[in-house]
């Protein structure tokens, strides 16, 4: 049952569309390197496509009806979009779900220190990272500093060509005899991932022996440029990510290399399928793009929070249809594609894959019946009947798709958000795009798979019925 390479199936028109999508996807990656930046960009694009804030529509008292396009935001980090269909919403919605947080290094709350005439920011990594991959790279800081007076200062350093970049050092090879004997997980320890941010002492004529003059100089720059002082780090969310734009990869330009493709590749293509919808829709379409997947979907902005459930309750209220039972039915009767990246088969590490059940770059969107680890622990398990309906929808639109497991049995594993949505009793299957070097500072996807993901989401919104 080997699946064909999608590149071989394209018409000239499809090739042109594929390149167009790749370009807009790369632009999305560049604009959204944090969950907050993604939400900002998603709202911009949604509003341009006629979406209105759900809370504003509710406050205005106008009834929500078929054809309405709405969005709801949670703490600037998670967003839900709705396109209301003609059919009774308690028959359920077709939901596209993906996450917009990615592994990175977060700046600690008390980060700034000076040592040996060098100034550093201390970090704590977020999500699963191979720490040794994050040293000696050009890095950027993205995020916000919330001040006591209520002002929230946006920070982005290291992306503009004229910006300085940030950097984490590694030990020189000449003195690395001991380091190189260590296990890869210990060669660079978490506490060693400190960002080098300065080396020039503040000139102070009154007190030439002033201590920590390099740190003082950094503080002065922060004050001048952003109006923030050291205590403001206490209420900041600053994320350190690789600096630079998403690029085409390969001499044939068939791939995309970028930071944060897990899971913005699924988030962007889900968003695009949603924003393309036009005219009358039978079944209500929904797209949820959530935060905190990389650390277990916890917190107010993760999939485990009540945000989505509450948002659907508000939606029903706005449609004059809210009751406890109507709410439960709406969720239970929904169908979801819970999209997240899959491990792309990598010939350099073939030993961890079982080839018949691996995802290959270029062979289309991936369906995972289950995820989890060991004996499928922590997995959602999509119903066979549901998978049959999903694959019919894909086949009806000639979408290239493949099925996969995350590596060989007993090699490891991983979880997604599918099992959380499944708690409502809705049909959910994991799907997504194959990635090489998942969670590395630069990850690689195939343009064909990005395109097939979009085509799959289109088919899903079009064909799935109650
Ligand atoms: Mn991940
Ligand atoms: Mn993911």
């Amino acid at each position: 049952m080997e699946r064909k390479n999608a590149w071989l199936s394209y018409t000239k028109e499809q090739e042109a569309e594929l390149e167009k999508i790749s370009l807009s996807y790369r632009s999305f990656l560049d604009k959204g390197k944090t969950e907050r930046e993604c939400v900002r960009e998603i709202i911009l694009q949604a509003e341009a496509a006629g979406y209105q804030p759900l809370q504003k529509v509710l406050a205005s008292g106008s009834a929500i009806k078929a054809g309405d396009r709405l969005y709801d935001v949670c703490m600037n980090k998670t967003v839900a979009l709705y396109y209301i269909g003609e059919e009774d919403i308690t028959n359920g919605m077709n939901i596209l779900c993906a996450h917009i947080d990615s592994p990175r290094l977060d700046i600690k709350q008390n980060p700034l220190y000076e040592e040996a005439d060098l100034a550093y920011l201390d970090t704590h990594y977020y999500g699963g990272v191979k720490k040794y991959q994050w040293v000696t790279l050009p890095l950027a800081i993205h995020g916000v500093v919330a001040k006591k007076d209520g002002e929230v200062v946006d920070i982005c350093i290291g992306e503009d060509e004229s910006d300085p970049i940030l950097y984490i050092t590694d030990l020189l090879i000449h003195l690395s005899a001991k380091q190189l004997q260590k296990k890869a997980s210990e060669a660079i320890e978490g506490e060693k991932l400190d960002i080098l941010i300065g080396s020039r002492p503040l000139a102070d004529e009154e007190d030439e022996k002033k201590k920590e003059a390099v740190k003082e100089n950094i503080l002065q720059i922060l004050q001048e440029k952003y109006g923030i002082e050291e205590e403001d780090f206490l209420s900041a969310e600053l994320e350190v990510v690789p600096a630079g734009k998403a690029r085409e990869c390969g001499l044939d330009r068939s791939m995309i290399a970028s930071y944060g493709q897990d899971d913005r590749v699924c988030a962007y293509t889900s968003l695009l399928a949603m924003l393309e919808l036009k005219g009358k829709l039978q079944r209500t379409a929904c797209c949820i793009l959530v935060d905190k997947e990389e650390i277990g979907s916890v917190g107010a902005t993760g999939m485990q929070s009540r945000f989505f459930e509450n948002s659907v309750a508000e939606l029903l209220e706005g449609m004059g249809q809210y009751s406890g039972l109507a709410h439960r039915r709406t969720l239970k009767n929904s169908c979801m594609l819970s999209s997240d990246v899959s491990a792309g088969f990598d010939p350099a590490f073939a030993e961890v894959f079982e080839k018949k059940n691996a995802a290959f770059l270029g062979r289309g969107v991936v369906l995972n019946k289950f995820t989890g680890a060991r004996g499928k622990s922590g997995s959602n398990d999509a119903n066979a009947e549901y998978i049959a309906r999903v694959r019919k929808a894909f086949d009806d639109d000639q979408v290239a798709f493949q099925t996969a497991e995350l590596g060989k049995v007993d090699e490891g594993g991983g979880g997604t958000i599918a099992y959380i949505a499944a708690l409502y009793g809705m049909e959910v299957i994991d799907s997504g795009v194959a990635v090489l070097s998942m969670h590395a500072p630069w990850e690689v996807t195939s343009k064909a798979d990005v395109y097939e993901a979009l085509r799959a989401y289109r088919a899903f919104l079009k064909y799935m019925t109650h």
Side-chain angles (χ1 to χ4, degrees):
M1 282 208 298
E2 197 166 294
R3 314 293 294 183
K4 274 209 313 225
N5 193 301
W7 285 104
L8 301 172
S9 68
Y10 295 139
T11 61
K12 282 275 167 279
E13 291 72 30
Q14 285 179 314
E15 278 175 13
E17 190 182 27
L18 174 152
E19 293 297 346
K20 197 176 138 226
I21 302 304
S22 304
L23 199 63
S24 64
Y25 169 48
R26 276 163 53 205
S27 158
F28 182 82
L29 286 168
D30 296 340
K31 287 173 185 159
K33 285 196 171 186
T34 68
E35 52 285 354
R36 282 176 187 263
E37 289 175 351
C38 284
V39 165
R40 186 165 57 198
E41 178 62 20
I42 290 161
I43 291 174
L44 269 177
Q45 295 197 15
E47 288 190 338
Y51 282 73
Q52 293 182 288
L54 173 64
Q55 302 304 331
K56 202 173 130 197
V57 173
L58 289 172
S60 76
S62 56
I64 294 168
K65 54 188 188 315
D68 284 356
R69 278 159 271 186
L70 304 148
Y71 69 87
D72 202 8
V73 181
C74 179
M75 297 181 185
N76 300 320
K77 295 177 192 169
T78 283
V79 58
L81 298 101
Y82 307 93
Y83 192 126
I84 310 298
E86 305 288 319
E87 189 181 285
D88 186 346
I89 193 169
T90 62
N91 283 347
M93 304 180 281
N94 290 341
I95 307 172
L96 299 174
C97 183
H99 71 91
I100 49 177
D101 62 316
S102 295
R104 61 185 188 243
L105 310 178
D106 286 340
I107 302 290
K108 285 187 184 180
Q109 263 25 77
N110 183 11
L112 185 59
Y113 71 93
E114 176 175 338
E115 181 66 43
D117 295 349
L118 299 171
Y120 293 92
L121 289 174
D122 215 325
T123 71
H124 190 154
Y125 61 96
Y126 171 98
V129 299
K130 286 180 164 180
K131 284 162 275 189
Y132 67 77
Q133 292 177 335
W134 289 75
V135 295
T136 68
L137 289 176
L139 297 169
I141 297 185
H142 292 237
V144 294
V145 178
K147 291 165 49 170
K148 280 202 289 186
D149 64 5
E151 189 193 355
V152 178
V153 184
D154 268 307
I155 307 274
C156 179
I157 306 166
E159 298 295 352
D160 195 274
E161 287 287 306
S162 62
D163 278 359
I165 53 107
L166 295 311
Y167 187 85
I168 300 173
T169 59
D170 192 6
L171 186 57
L172 64 168
I173 182 76
H174 316 70
L175 298 178
S176 291
K178 275 188 195 145
Q179 186 198 35
L180 291 174
Q181 298 308 311
K182 289 184 182 175
K183 292 197 295 185
S185 61
E186 290 162 9
I188 297 289
E189 288 158 22
E191 282 298 351
K192 286 212 161 60
L193 292 175
D194 292 354
I195 311 293
L196 180 60
I197 57 158
S199 69
R200 179 173 175 167
L202 183 70
D204 191 332
E205 286 163 11
E206 286 174 24
D207 180 8
E208 284 195 7
K209 287 182 196 162
K210 189 166 183 181
K211 278 189 184 159
E212 304 201 317
V214 177
K215 174 180 162 179
E216 287 305 320
N217 192 37
I218 292 294
L219 283 171
Q220 184 166 311
I221 293 167
L222 288 174
Q223 180 60 249
E224 278 166 12
K225 228 178 152 204
Y226 301 101
I228 57 179
E229 50 193 53
E230 189 170 10
E231 290 233 328
D232 291 328
F233 279 116
L234 295 175
S235 48
E237 288 174 4
L238 297 169
E239 305 178 10
V240 176
V241 299
K245 289 181 176 355
R247 303 285 293 265
E248 291 180 303
C249 176
L251 286 185
D252 57 4
R253 299 176 182 265
S254 61
M255 296 167 282
I256 293 170
S258 170
Y259 166 71
Q261 299 201 71
D262 174 5
D263 183 33
R264 292 169 191 136
V265 64
C266 300
Y268 178 68
T269 42
S270 294
L271 175 73
L272 209 54
M274 186 75 185
L275 298 185
E276 280 178 1
L277 292 171
K278 278 196 204 84
K280 282 189 179 177
L281 221 62
Q282 193 58 29
R283 212 163 132 87
T284 295
C286 170
C287 178
I288 338 170
L289 302 169
V290 295
D291 179 30
K292 295 289 183 287
E293 193 277 340
E294 295 296 355
I295 57 167
S297 298
V298 291
T301 56
M303 193 61 198
Q304 292 193 49
S305 110
R306 298 273 181 260
F307 162 71
F308 178 58
E309 188 180 318
N310 292 344
S311 176
V312 172
E314 296 277 11
L315 185 69
L316 286 165
E317 178 72 6
M319 298 172 82
Q321 266 188 279
Y322 180 79
S323 74
L325 194 55
H327 188 204
R328 283 167 189 256
R329 281 179 179 154
T330 302
L331 291 166
K332 189 206 85 169
N333 291 331
S334 290
C335 298
M336 179 185 281
L337 281 185
S338 168
S339 293
D340 205 343
V341 290
S342 273
F345 178 82
D346 186 339
F349 303 100
E351 66 278 7
V352 302
F353 295 93
E354 190 268 284
K355 250 181 137 178
K356 295 192 306 313
N357 292 282
F360 291 82
L361 251 67
R363 294 192 193 170
V365 73
V366 185
L367 290 175
N368 303 82
K369 180 164 160 56
F370 53 84
T371 55
R374 301 175 305 279
K376 305 189 179 184
S377 178
S379 174
N380 172 59
D381 186 2
N383 250 333
E385 292 87 337
Y386 180 54
I387 301 177
R389 291 164 60 207
V390 172
R391 94 184 156 97
K392 178 168 189 327
F394 289 177
D395 279 342
D396 285 353
D397 266 5
Q398 289 100 46
V399 173
F401 74 93
Q402 49 186 332
T403 57
E405 294 193 9
L406 183 51
K408 266 184 185 163
V409 175
D410 286 342
E411 282 293 342
T416 65
I417 50 189
Y419 76 96
I420 305 164
L423 293 171
Y424 297 112
M426 70 172 73
E427 301 273 22
V428 189
I429 184 163
D430 279 296
S431 68
V433 172
V435 172
L436 296 178
S437 308
M438 192 191 297
H439 283 206
W442 290 78
E443 303 169 313
V444 171
T445 56
S446 157
K447 286 182 180 176
D449 296 333
V450 178
Y451 183 47
E452 292 303 322
L454 171 63
R455 297 184 67 237
Y457 302 149
R458 284 173 179 160
F460 178 83
L461 292 180
K462 187 159 66 171
Y463 293 119
M464 294 308 284
T465 54
H466 181 50

